[in-house]
Amino acid sequence: MRTVDEHLAEILGAVPLLAPIDLALLEAEGALLAEPVSAPIPLPPFDNSAMDGYAVVSTDVASASEDSPVTLPVVGDVAAGDTGVSAIRPGLCLRIMTGAPMPAGADAVIPVEWTDGGTVSVRITRPAPPGHYIRRAGEDVQAGQVVLEPGVRLRAPQLGMLAAVGRARVSVRPRPRVVVLSTGDELREPGSEPAFGQIWDSNSFMLTGAVNESEGVGIRAGALTDAPEKVREALEDQLIRADAIITTGGVSMGARDAVKEALTGTLTFTKVAMRPGKPQGFGLLHGIPIFTLPGNPVSAYVSFQVFVRPALLAMQGLPPEPPGAGTAVLTEEVRSPAGLRHYLRGRLSSGEDGDLAVTPAGAQGSHQMGALAAADALIVVPEERDIVPAGERVEIWRLPR
């Protein structure tokens, strides 16, 4: 058997780095920026009001108070979006809206709450220093400043930043499109009525969700029959829309392992020293990575986290790190087969001293979905350990919740 690290190294050495593409902003959501983005102009591009109120000369209102308000003539309005040039001299004021450009001569904004809201003249009951409620040009971003670096994930704030500096399109490394297929004559679609000996297909739904959680684009293609020629044909058909393909089932040592039969000679099938998930297959089909995972649901899910997730990150130019790696104190003794890296399902909690603790799930069978659905972590037991006592600190991977 090869080790987990050996199999992962082969995968990471083979998967391609996705080439940058040019996308409109909303199409680029969730992708990784592939270029530095600079501001062509300062932000804000001009001095503007931070409040609805009145643009004034600060010395005119220096003595204003509740008992002795200052009254000024209102000589006009300045709205957000006004493109004309406005100005005042001492002894006058302008009504101004939030975001409107400051008029020449004014050096402060009095919020409307400090006034009687007058439209011809206004009574002001509080003073304001120079610069009060004024957003200065360039106080957020200077012209020429790099506002986003390559490698940042484009979420809502980053999309807003791109739009704020006038970008309509951007170069990104796209999220990998991953087609997910299950195999097995026994599989039926959820919502249908399975006959005796049949089960509902859960793997393709679970792994499509796992792809989406790993910053990929999951595409569920449903279940295939145990016919090698149909498996190969289906995989060939999916290549046109896939950056990677995941199959589950048909990779063990059985008489009807359709995936293995269909792809032997193209992919490498091997046993990996791990539990669950010992039978694995990987290779490139016309340059597209193909991950063939075991059919047992827990084995498929753990295999995804150990091998597929790091590969999807690497295809985007990111470090191939496990999900939420950390440590926790084990609350119960666990036993593990010698020579295998064991991934146990667990539940996290706060220990007596406030430290993070993890409790192994009672059921650890590779077919037992109930324990997986209730788990929020994997406990990683290294190959050289067969017993880990309660109270020892262990490696954990936090699962998406």
Side-chain angles (χ1 to χ4, degrees):
M1 286 189 292
R2 65 171 53 172
T3 68
V4 170
D5 295 336
E6 288 169 343
H7 191 58
L8 180 58
E10 178 184 316
I11 291 170
L12 295 179
V15 294
L17 180 64
L18 296 178
I21 59 175
D22 187 67
L23 293 178
L25 289 193
L26 292 181
E27 294 172 350
E29 190 276 327
L32 286 174
L33 187 63
E35 59 170 322
V37 175
S38 301
I41 61 174
L43 296 180
F46 48 84
D47 291 355
N48 68 90
S49 176
M51 296 285 286
D52 290 343
Y54 298 84
V56 302
V57 178
S58 60
T59 54
D60 287 340
V61 297
S63 64
S65 67
E66 292 284 350
D67 295 331
S68 181
V70 170
T71 300
L72 295 175
V74 179
V75 295
D77 296 335
V78 187
D82 277 357
T83 57
V85 177
S86 58
I88 61 169
R89 58 178 174 76
L92 304 175
C93 71
L94 283 165
R95 283 204 307 173
I96 193 166
M97 305 299 114
T98 302
M102 286 297 295
D107 66 351
V109 172
I110 301 295
V112 69
E113 293 84 356
W114 297 3
T115 75
D116 64 355
T119 57
V120 177
S121 64
V122 62
R123 290 174 56 227
I124 297 170
T125 59
R126 291 175 64 177
H132 194 247
Y133 283 127
I134 296 176
R135 301 165 177 159
R136 295 299 183 187
E139 71 175 26
D140 184 13
V141 173
Q142 294 292 318
Q145 179 180 333
V146 175
V147 295
L148 292 174
E149 297 280 1
V152 68
R153 183 77 63 183
L154 297 182
R155 303 300 190 194
Q158 291 74 35
L159 292 178
M161 186 76 258
L162 289 168
V165 298
R167 293 293 295 268
R169 305 184 67 84
V170 68
S171 178
V172 298
R173 293 195 188 277
R175 294 185 295 166
R177 301 163 299 167
V178 184
V179 173
V180 180
L181 303 114
S182 297
T183 63
D185 290 336
E186 76 279 13
L187 299 178
R188 291 295 178 268
E189 282 289 300
S192 66
E193 190 65 34
F196 179 77
Q198 297 177 337
I199 60 173
W200 289 302
D201 172 25
S202 61
N203 281 357
S204 63
F205 290 92
M206 173 179 65
L207 293 177
T208 301
V211 169
N212 293 332
E213 290 172 349
S214 302
E215 306 298 350
V217 178
I219 305 169
R220 179 182 177 267
L224 303 175
T225 62
D226 286 321
E229 67 281 0
K230 294 293 185 183
V231 170
R232 182 73 183 220
E233 179 183 341
L235 291 175
E236 297 275 0
D237 287 345
Q238 295 297 333
L239 293 177
I240 193 171
R241 65 170 178 168
D243 297 308
I245 296 176
I246 301 171
T247 70
T248 63
V251 294
S252 297
M253 302 295 291
R256 299 186 66 185
D257 286 328
V259 172
K260 194 171 184 179
E261 186 175 339
L263 295 172
T264 293
T266 303
L267 272 60
T268 298
F269 293 90
T270 188
K271 292 182 180 179
V272 178
M274 62 185 290
R275 176 180 287 184
K278 184 183 295 184
Q280 297 287 332
F282 171 77
L284 302 181
L285 181 60
H286 303 302
I288 302 299
I290 310 291
F291 302 86
T292 62
L293 309 183
N296 279 325
V298 179
S299 299
Y301 182 78
V302 169
S303 298
F304 177 92
Q305 298 297 342
V306 175
F307 300 120
V308 184
R309 183 182 186 275
L312 297 184
L313 294 175
M315 291 172 72
Q316 299 171 77
L318 293 173
E321 299 170 343
T327 63
V329 176
L330 194 62
T331 63
E332 300 174 7
E333 177 186 276
V334 297
R335 295 178 177 268
S336 180
L340 300 181
R341 190 174 300 180
H342 203 174
Y343 298 89
L344 298 161
R345 284 144 284 171
R347 291 284 295 174
L348 298 172
S349 62
S350 180
E352 293 181 2
D353 57 358
D355 202 357
L356 187 65
V358 63
T359 300
Q364 294 290 342
S366 61
H367 64 291
Q368 292 174 307
M369 280 287 289
L372 177 61
D376 55 9
L378 293 177
I379 304 166
V380 184
V381 181
E383 292 87 339
E384 65 272 14
R385 301 294 299 275
D386 56 358
I387 299 177
V388 183
E392 186 167 321
R393 185 170 291 278
V394 293
E395 180 184 358
I396 59 161
W397 293 359
R398 289 179 181 268
L399 299 178
R401 298 292 288 177

